[in-house]
Amino acid sequence: MRTVTERLPLFPLGSVLYPGLVLPLHVFEERYRRLMADLTAQPEPHRFGVVAIRDGREVAPTGVDAASPALAGLGPDPHRALFEIGCVAEIAQLQSHRDGRYELIATGTTRFRVLSIDATGPYLTAEVEDVPEETGPEAKVLAAGVERVFRTYRKRLAGAQETTVAGERELPDDPNILSYLVAAASVLDTGDKQRLLAAGSASDRLRAELRLLRREAAVLAKLPSLPAVELTRQAFSPN
């Protein structure tokens, strides 16, 4: 089967975006202002690729490499600085400011694999291929188990944060959608979140979530409180 590829502008972040999830962004760096200006000069949909930075930095240093401004803060080799699997983001709302900044809300759509990266322009672009969504075996059974453990985890997390759990919401029945929702809503480090994004199927992702949520719930049960910085790692992402 012939692989279908496309070229996307890349927006590296210190967090992971999942299909179906919302991403608010405050764009102030010059390279990403250029990216937004170029995108909005084209017909809709306005799409770009979000890839997580391996070392977890969300904002590049102020200094810009004059030889390659697209690589500022990432080092000379973007393949080593960035994860291979990312998520396409489609802009849903966009507001531009007089000083050149942008406020936007984007939605994750599909996963992609980075095949090659071009750093010769003002921002990174990449040749990418789609990563297909597979349900996998026993997804329904695994989803039921994840839902039970996730509710326990949320209650213990709320207790550690000294907050209350909002009214119990119905979780989606679709195992694939549930797997991404749980991944996004769980407080995990970037490496764990990236591994969930890159899972080969919903079954693989749900199985990994069962293990991670049981681990996290057990930790939370033993701790009366956790540092707030550890409980808010998925906040608004400035770039």
Side-chain angles (χ1 to χ4, degrees):
M1 182 179 296
R2 184 179 178 183
T3 301
V4 177
T5 66
E6 68 172 315
R7 183 160 292 276
L8 281 176
L10 291 186
F11 202 126
L13 286 176
S15 56
V16 178
L17 177 64
Y18 297 102
L21 276 297
V22 173
L23 173 70
L25 283 174
H26 173 205
V27 179
F28 59 87
E29 283 193 68
E30 179 58 31
R31 52 183 162 174
Y32 301 125
R33 293 185 190 188
R34 288 282 303 276
L35 189 160
M36 292 300 150
D38 289 349
L39 275 183
T40 54
Q42 302 171 11
E44 294 183 339
H46 300 140
R47 303 163 70 244
F48 57 94
V50 172
V51 283
I53 304 170
R54 288 185 183 273
D55 63 10
R57 290 174 297 178
E58 288 191 339
V59 182
T62 303
V64 174
D65 184 345
S68 182
L71 287 173
L74 297 175
D77 186 355
H79 286 284
R80 296 187 64 181
L82 304 174
F83 286 102
E84 179 187 29
I85 304 297
C87 183
V88 175
E90 185 171 316
I91 297 176
Q93 298 178 28
L94 180 69
Q95 180 182 1
S96 59
H97 297 276
R98 288 185 176 183
D99 62 3
R101 293 177 299 112
Y102 291 88
E103 304 280 352
L104 66 93
I105 295 177
T107 302
T109 59
T110 58
R111 296 182 300 167
F112 62 82
R113 176 177 288 103
V114 175
L115 302 176
S116 63
I117 297 177
D118 182 356
T120 59
Y123 47 82
L124 297 178
T125 61
E127 192 74 18
V128 305
E129 65 178 1
D130 284 348
V131 175
E133 296 293 346
E134 303 287 345
T135 302
E138 300 181 343
K140 286 286 188 182
V141 174
L142 289 166
V146 166
E147 182 173 347
R148 287 193 299 271
V149 177
F150 181 62
R151 293 191 187 281
T152 298
Y153 164 78
R154 286 184 66 237
K155 291 176 181 177
R156 291 180 180 173
L157 181 62
Q161 293 175 313
E162 297 182 352
T163 60
T164 58
V165 178
E168 289 291 323
R169 298 180 181 178
E170 288 296 321
L171 294 172
D173 293 328
D174 184 292
N176 207 50
I177 297 174
L178 175 69
S179 71
Y180 284 131
L181 178 62
V182 168
S186 301
V187 180
L188 302 167
D189 64 31
T190 301
D192 282 334
K193 283 187 171 279
Q194 180 65 33
R195 283 184 282 275
L196 293 177
L197 176 68
S201 67
S203 293
D204 292 339
R205 188 173 303 108
L206 290 163
R207 193 173 290 110
E209 286 168 349
L210 272 176
R211 175 179 56 81
L212 289 168
L213 290 172
R214 284 169 176 159
R215 180 194 74 188
E216 296 298 306
V219 170
L220 290 168
K222 296 177 181 179
L223 298 177
S225 62
L226 292 174
V229 67
E230 292 298 318
L231 298 174
T232 57
R233 281 180 277 180
Q234 295 303 307
F236 187 87
S237 298
N239 271 278

